[in-house]
Amino acid sequence: PRARARRALQSIGFDLRESEQYVEHVKAASPVAGKMKGGLRWLCLVAVGMGAGGVAVVIQVSLLHLNEAKFDIQAELYDGGYSLAVRFFAWLLVSLGLAAVAGALVCYVEPLSGGSGIPEIKCILNGIDVPNVLRPRTLLCKALGIVCSVAAGLPCGKEGPMIHSGAIVAAQTADISVGPLVAPFRDSVEARDFVAAGAAAGVAAAFGAPIGGVIF
């Protein structure tokens, strides 16, 4: 199975276009079009940052509510006069249920949503096209899985998944279809830059360190 998976991998061409026809096309383009594309790129990057921050907020708020719910259950059991053993098993069952949801998402829905996702993003940036790494389904499973995993008390953090989530948001932004102005961002080189920016936005959202995200 591993050999089959390796053979299925494809490389991404990050070579810049340097043909005479392309150079003439760029020279013939009006300065206004170039400025519009540059401005639109900045707008898209701002949208990537806001999207990565939005995913981080959803994860953090969901974790807060889940943890509050777990402690509310314990408080109700305590007020009801239940023994320590009953409260312990209730806590254990809730944690097992959350861990089972996270495990089912990885095992049966999207295996690439497991782990931090950072090695997969490094593969993409190095030119290895790993299928399904930057798909919305992976983002959904990643976000829901990390919420359930952390709420279950498993020894894992949400920082790595936030980086992967930011990269997915960026890739989907680069792939969006809203007209001819955004079409150039689907180019492999442009898309790679968007993914790198999304990963940086994920670091900034996870650690509150925008400069650290750029350095990363």
Side-chain angles (χ1 to χ4, degrees):
R2 290 183 179 179
R4 243 189 343 264
R6 285 195 295 268
R7 286 195 296 268
L9 294 178
Q10 300 289 331
S11 62
I12 306 173
F14 288 147
D15 294 334
L16 296 175
R17 296 190 182 97
E18 298 177 344
S19 65
E20 294 182 6
Q21 292 83 359
Y22 182 73
V23 172
E24 291 177 0
H25 169 71
V26 173
K27 289 181 178 179
S30 65
V32 176
K35 290 181 179 179
M36 288 182 63
K37 181 183 176 183
L40 185 59
R41 180 186 288 108
W42 279 108
L43 289 176
C44 290
L45 290 174
V46 170
V48 167
M50 294 179 64
V55 172
V57 169
V58 170
I59 292 175
Q60 189 65 34
V61 171
S62 301
L63 274 173
L64 179 64
H65 287 303
L66 272 179
N67 285 324
E68 286 181 352
K70 288 178 68 176
F71 283 104
D72 287 342
I73 292 173
Q74 291 296 309
E76 291 180 5
L77 292 175
Y78 178 81
D79 294 338
Y82 289 93
S83 64
L84 178 62
V86 173
R87 284 180 275 141
F88 170 77
F89 280 109
W91 182 275
L92 181 63
L93 287 175
V94 172
S95 299
L96 285 175
L98 292 171
V101 171
L105 289 172
V106 174
C107 292
Y108 301 109
V109 181
E110 184 50 71
L112 286 172
S113 63
S116 68
I118 296 177
E120 288 82 359
I121 299 304
K122 287 182 177 179
C123 288
I124 296 293
L125 296 179
N126 282 319
I128 301 174
D129 185 13
V130 184
N132 299 329
V133 170
L134 300 175
R135 297 301 179 191
R137 183 176 65 180
T138 307
L139 173 61
L140 180 61
C141 294
K142 173 75 72 173
L144 184 56
I146 195 60
V147 167
C148 293
S149 298
V150 175
L154 297 178
C156 57
K158 57 184 181 296
E159 292 78 17
M162 283 187 181
I163 296 171
H164 189 182
S165 300
I168 296 175
V169 171
Q172 295 303 313
T173 302
D175 197 42
I176 196 171
S177 177
V178 293
L181 283 177
V182 184
F185 298 144
R186 297 183 183 178
D187 184 74
S188 297
V189 177
E190 294 277 7
R192 177 191 60 180
D193 293 343
F194 269 70
V195 170
V203 174
F207 298 101
I211 298 177
V214 174
I215 294 174
F216 175 84

